[in-house]
Amino acid sequence: MTEQQPWQWDEPTWRGHVERVRAGRPLRPESWPGGAKVAVALSFDSDHETPALRDGEVLPGKLSQGEYGARVGVPRILNLLRRFEAPSTFFMPAVSALLHDGEAKSYVDEGHEVALHGWIHERNTQLPPQAERDLAFRAADTLERLVGTRPVGIRTPSWDLSADSLRIVRELGLTYDSSLMADDDCYEILTDGEPTGIVELPVEWIRDDMPYFMMDRFTSLRPYTPPRGVLSIWRDEFDVAYAENGIFQLTLHPHCIGHRSRITILTELLEHIASHEGVWFATHAQIAEHVLSGKDSSR
């Protein structure tokens, strides 16, 4: 039987795809802790060598780019977060945590959160359901063993949710996800119209360093936006979040943002944020806990 094309789908088919995972009730709270005007959720995806390993790229050159993240980027980031007293969330593939002994634990020791980001930054949408589940549970077990606490949140590798990802997230008993893009502020995830109780802390490519700074010498992929142009975008994103009493969420990668010209703009961004009254720097877990505390309201 020939597979139907999307233009041939009946209404229950296309509506079913859309409703499978959807944004539910808004979770913008009436107030942030301490009367803060904005919540700042900094996050770092400590992928290091895993994207290359996932793709079978095992030659030293590509792997060294990932190693830079652990060797140079992470110490710079931790120093910066220490300066601004900014608890943050590190989403870390389990293989990254195993390759870099003590790194995941150092995050927790400095007051940050470690959350799930796959086993080896796998392309979970291309995996059989059981393989995706097994890798997710193996990653959770590994991070728990390394840092002493079990992760409560996840960012799926490459922000991809398969048809089975949300079921696995629920089976893991996680509090939040940070992979979807249906809002600027937190919301509850629905599946087939039913509330899940899971908080979504939305991401966006606008607020991610990789789209601006990626480089591939064998294709046309180049970092076309200068660092200070990116700073302007992120500063504007924060300013509107502040005006709306919302959340400013940022996704960064140590092997990308850790370079000198880029850590400079992150420093300037944090200086700009810190110059405002009423800023709450918090981990993703802390924000999820707060918006679930019963103080949420519709806009």
Side-chain angles (χ1 to χ4, degrees):
M1 183 177 179
T2 303
E3 183 179 351
Q4 284 190 327
Q5 297 299 312
W7 58 269
Q8 297 174 307
W9 290 343
D10 58 16
E11 182 172 344
T13 299
W14 51 256
R15 191 175 295 278
H17 288 304
V18 171
E19 297 296 334
R20 177 64 58 82
V21 177
R22 204 72 168 155
R25 62 187 173 115
L27 292 175
R28 181 186 292 176
E30 295 174 357
S31 62
W32 295 111
K37 289 179 59 64
V38 67
V40 175
L42 303 177
S43 65
F44 300 87
D45 292 2
S46 298
D47 300 335
H48 304 335
E49 297 93 342
T50 57
L53 290 173
R54 171 203 63 205
D55 293 336
E57 297 185 23
V58 296
L59 295 179
K62 192 74 171 180
L63 293 174
S64 70
Q65 289 182 282
E67 186 181 13
Y68 181 95
R71 183 181 176 88
V72 181
V74 167
R76 284 179 173 161
I77 289 164
L78 290 177
N79 284 337
L80 193 60
L81 298 178
R82 203 176 297 124
R83 171 184 164 189
F84 288 95
E85 299 181 346
S88 303
T89 299
F90 288 81
F91 293 92
M92 195 170 197
V95 168
S96 283
L98 291 168
L99 279 169
H100 301 283
D101 186 44
E103 183 180 316
K105 185 64 163 57
S106 74
Y107 298 150
V108 174
D109 288 345
E110 296 219 22
H112 306 299
E113 175 195 6
V114 173
L116 289 168
H117 197 43
W119 171 254
I120 196 169
H121 211 280
E122 60 273 8
R123 300 187 190 279
N124 56 303
T125 58
Q126 298 176 8
L127 296 176
Q130 189 60 42
E132 182 182 2
R133 181 190 181 280
D134 289 348
L135 291 177
F137 273 81
R138 190 195 308 176
D141 292 343
T142 299
L143 292 183
E144 181 179 20
R145 175 171 57 83
L146 293 176
V147 307
T149 57
R150 194 162 182 84
V152 300
I154 188 170
R155 174 170 294 153
T156 56
S158 304
W159 303 353
D160 287 331
L161 265 69
S162 73
D164 301 284
S165 297
L166 189 55
R167 174 183 58 79
I168 295 167
V169 168
R170 299 180 80 178
E171 192 176 350
L172 282 164
L174 301 180
T175 301
Y176 75 86
D177 172 72
S178 185
S179 314
L180 301 174
M181 298 177 250
D183 205 321
D184 294 309
D185 294 305
C186 297
Y187 58 87
E188 182 178 13
I189 299 176
L190 303 180
T191 179
D192 295 323
E194 296 296 322
T196 63
I198 297 170
V199 177
E200 180 62 37
L201 278 80
V203 291
E204 227 301 323
W205 295 113
I206 296 169
R207 302 188 309 275
D208 186 302
D209 55 358
M210 294 295 280
Y212 303 109
F213 298 138
M214 287 180 69
M215 163 74 186
D216 185 342
R217 61 179 173 157
F218 295 117
T219 69
S220 60
L221 186 62
R222 296 290 185 275
Y224 292 109
T225 309
R228 295 200 178 276
V230 178
L231 171 60
S232 177
I233 294 169
W234 291 346
R235 189 170 51 218
D236 289 346
E237 286 280 325
F238 167 78
D239 287 346
V240 177
Y242 187 82
E244 294 180 346
N245 297 105
I247 179 174
F248 173 68
Q249 192 278 340
L250 193 63
T251 301
L252 304 166
H253 300 75
H255 71 281
C256 184
I257 200 68
H259 288 276
R260 291 165 175 163
S261 60
R262 298 169 185 173
I263 202 72
T264 298
I265 67 160
L266 180 58
T267 302
E268 293 186 21
L269 176 66
L270 294 183
E271 288 172 344
H272 174 73
I273 291 172
S275 71
H276 291 68
E277 294 290 334
V279 173
W280 181 43
F281 287 102
T283 68
H284 284 47
Q286 289 171 327
I287 291 172
E289 180 181 5
H290 181 72
V291 301
L292 284 174
S293 67
K295 298 179 180 178
D296 56 279
S297 64
S298 297
R299 295 191 176 92

